[in-house]
């Protein structure tokens, strides 16, 4: 009985060691090994995690609480506040599915294209490399998220129209809604307005990623010069780079926004549209709502990356400790002896 148990313990010990040691395996990679599926997915998790914390941080300031808490007058005239949990779940489901995932796709795509520009355009200036990579990243993110949001809005319109006519319909999933929308309006309807949406998002995001890298590189260089004994930069260095980069991007992109709004509203005198007031108002709004979001992403991004990278090791250590404790447990013979001696 001792021999089978010894063999079992040896096999389980080897399995435990395999769990506690990370195997170095060569997997698929792109751009001379600079991008792997694991690194791409890590970038996606970091971007999505940072966006989630940014949305949580701005939740109390953007009118969402007013949508989720409704004041209702009771039978005795007393006013009480009712939490609209269905609307809360609906709004946060939309944020997580589209905004949070969109941010993850954007960050991962930017890392992918930036590696490509470094490999295939090594002589190009780093600023130009960042602008090219960011433009392709925005195009990728918009190409994935935009048709999903179009199908989401079309599904909501169809459900509201059916409810108005007194017809109860089952809410289709977003994939089925896309197919129904394509059948009803043509496949081109999913991407109608894509160019306009891209032109709105691209200038700010392109310059944000570029200026963020410029500021971050300069701040890291200055930190290494002033603190040679501590090469690890503190958390507020990326936060400062992200904040200043986003503010700079907003100021650079504002003239482009001015021209776009002016061209799009040629009949400005009839529509009572004044770009001289609308564009500065948008710059102010973005500075108050968009820029702090980038700051939160830059602060929480490294924390998400660290937690994500340490999770497999924690799981391996936990499973390995459990297996080790199981292997070191008493045998059946010892348990029987103890039971007999007790009696």
């Amino acid at each position: 009985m001792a021999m089978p148990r010894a063999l079992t313990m040896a096999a389980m010990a080897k399995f435990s060691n395999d769990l506690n040691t990370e195997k170095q395996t060569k997997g698929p990679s792109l751009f001379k090994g600079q991008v792997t599926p694991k690194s791409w997915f890590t970038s996606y998790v970091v971007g999505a995690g940072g966006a989630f914390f940014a949305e949580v941080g701005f939740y109390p300031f953007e009118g969402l609480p007013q949508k989720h808490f409704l004041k209702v007058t009771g039978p005795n005239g007393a006013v009480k506040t009712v939490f609209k949990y269905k609307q809360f779940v609906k709004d946060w489901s939309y944020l997580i599915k589209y905004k949070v995932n969109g941010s993850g796709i954007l960050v991962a795509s930017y890392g992918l294209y930036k590696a490509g520009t470094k490999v295939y355009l090594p002589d190009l200036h780093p600023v130009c490399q960042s602008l090219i990579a960011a433009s392709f990243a925005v195009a990728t993110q918009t190409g994935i998220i935009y048709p999903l949001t179009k199908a989401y809005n079309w599904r909501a319109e169809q459900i509201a129209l059916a409810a108005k006519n007194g017809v109860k319909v089952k809410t289709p999933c977003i994939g089925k809604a896309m197919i129904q929308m394509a059948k009803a309006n043509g496949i081109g309807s999913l991407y109608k307005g894509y160019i306009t949406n891209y032109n709105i998002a691209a200038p700010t995001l392109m310059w944000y990623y570029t200026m963020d890298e410029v500021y971050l590189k300069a701040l890291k260089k200055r930190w290494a010069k002033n603190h040679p004994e501590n090469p690890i930069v503190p958390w507020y260095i990326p936060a400062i780079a992200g904040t200043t980069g986003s503010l700079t991007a907003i100021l650079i992109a504002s003239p482009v926004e001015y021209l776009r709004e002016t061209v799009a509203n040629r009949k400005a005198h009839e529509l009572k549209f004044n770009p001289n007031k609308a564009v500065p108002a948008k710059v102010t709004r973005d500075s108050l709502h968009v820029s702090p979001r980038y700051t939160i992403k830059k602060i929480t991004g490294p924390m998400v990356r660290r937690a994500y990278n340490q999770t497999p090791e924690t799981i391996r250590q936990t499973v390995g400790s459990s297996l080790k404790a199981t292997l070191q447990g008493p045998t059946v013979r010892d348990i029987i002896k103890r039971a007999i001696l007790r009696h």
Side-chain angles (χ1 to χ4, degrees):
M1 187 172 182
M3 183 61 69
R5 182 173 182 273
L7 294 174
T8 304
M9 288 183 64
M12 295 296 285
K14 185 178 183 303
F15 177 68
S16 177
N17 292 331
D18 291 341
L19 290 173
N20 286 305
T21 57
E22 185 176 0
K23 295 181 180 179
Q24 299 294 332
T25 57
K26 292 184 178 180
S29 62
L30 294 173
F31 308 128
K32 297 181 180 179
Q34 294 191 26
V35 178
T36 62
K38 182 180 179 181
S39 65
W40 189 92
F41 188 73
T42 301
S43 299
Y44 166 79
V45 171
V46 170
F52 175 78
F53 285 111
E55 295 299 333
V56 171
F58 266 81
Y59 169 72
F61 306 105
E62 294 198 334
L64 289 177
Q66 287 74 14
K67 293 174 62 177
H68 302 150
F69 293 94
L70 182 65
K71 291 184 178 180
V72 180
T73 304
N76 55 355
V79 179
K80 63 178 181 178
T81 304
V82 179
F83 177 62
K84 299 171 63 177
Y85 68 93
K86 290 185 178 180
Q87 186 66 33
F88 174 83
V89 172
K90 183 179 179 182
D91 290 343
W92 275 99
S93 175
Y94 179 85
L95 288 175
I96 292 173
K97 287 179 181 178
Y98 302 107
K99 286 193 174 182
V100 172
N101 282 322
S103 181
I105 293 171
L106 183 64
V107 172
S109 300
Y110 176 74
L112 176 69
Y113 294 126
K114 185 62 186 292
T117 56
K118 287 182 178 180
V119 172
Y120 294 108
L121 302 171
D123 299 330
L124 200 63
H125 195 276
V127 171
C128 297
Q129 290 179 350
S130 298
L131 288 173
I132 293 173
S135 64
F136 280 101
V138 176
T140 302
Q141 184 252 9
T142 307
I144 295 173
I145 298 298
Y146 185 74
L148 295 175
T149 56
K150 289 277 289 186
Y152 179 88
N153 295 329
W154 181 85
R155 181 181 65 180
E157 292 175 0
Q158 297 300 313
I159 293 174
L161 183 62
K164 185 178 179 181
N165 296 330
V167 180
K168 291 184 178 180
V169 294
K170 186 179 180 181
T171 303
C173 65
I174 194 65
K176 192 174 181 179
M178 289 179 66
I179 296 174
Q180 292 176 353
M181 182 179 177
K183 288 182 178 180
N185 303 324
I187 193 170
S189 61
L190 293 171
Y191 286 93
K192 186 177 180 180
Y194 169 82
I195 300 298
T196 302
N197 190 274
Y198 175 82
N199 291 334
I200 293 173
T204 303
L205 289 172
M206 287 169 59
W207 282 107
Y208 163 69
Y209 279 103
T210 302
M211 300 311 298
D212 173 61
E213 285 196 0
V214 171
Y215 288 128
L216 185 60
K217 187 176 180 180
L219 290 172
K220 283 183 176 180
K221 187 177 180 180
R222 184 176 180 85
W223 176 266
K225 182 180 179 181
N226 296 335
H227 304 83
E229 73 285 352
N230 186 14
I232 301 176
V233 297
W235 62 270
Y236 56 83
I237 295 296
I240 294 174
T243 303
T244 52
S246 60
L247 291 174
T248 306
I250 290 170
L251 292 176
I252 293 175
S254 60
V256 179
E257 184 70 16
Y258 178 90
L259 293 174
R260 192 190 68 80
E261 292 284 358
T262 304
V263 172
N265 295 273
R266 295 178 179 178
K267 299 180 180 180
H269 59 283
E270 297 179 6
L271 300 174
K272 296 181 180 180
F273 173 80
N274 188 357
N276 295 323
K277 293 182 179 179
V279 175
K282 185 180 184 303
V283 172
T284 304
R285 185 172 62 253
D286 289 348
S287 300
L288 295 175
H289 293 273
V290 177
S291 180
R293 273 186 165 86
Y294 290 127
T295 304
I296 296 175
K297 291 177 184 179
K298 295 295 288 188
I299 294 173
T300 58
M303 294 189 294
V304 173
R305 182 186 296 274
R306 194 176 302 113
Y308 175 74
N309 290 333
Q310 290 179 354
T311 297
E313 183 64 26
T314 304
I315 294 174
R316 285 195 294 268
Q317 291 178 356
T318 304
V319 175
S321 300
S322 301
L323 288 174
K324 188 176 180 181
T326 303
L327 291 173
Q328 293 177 350
T331 62
V332 177
R333 184 180 298 176
D334 294 334
I335 294 174
I336 295 173
K337 284 182 179 180
R338 291 175 187 176
I340 294 172
L341 291 175
R342 279 200 199 101
H343 296 285

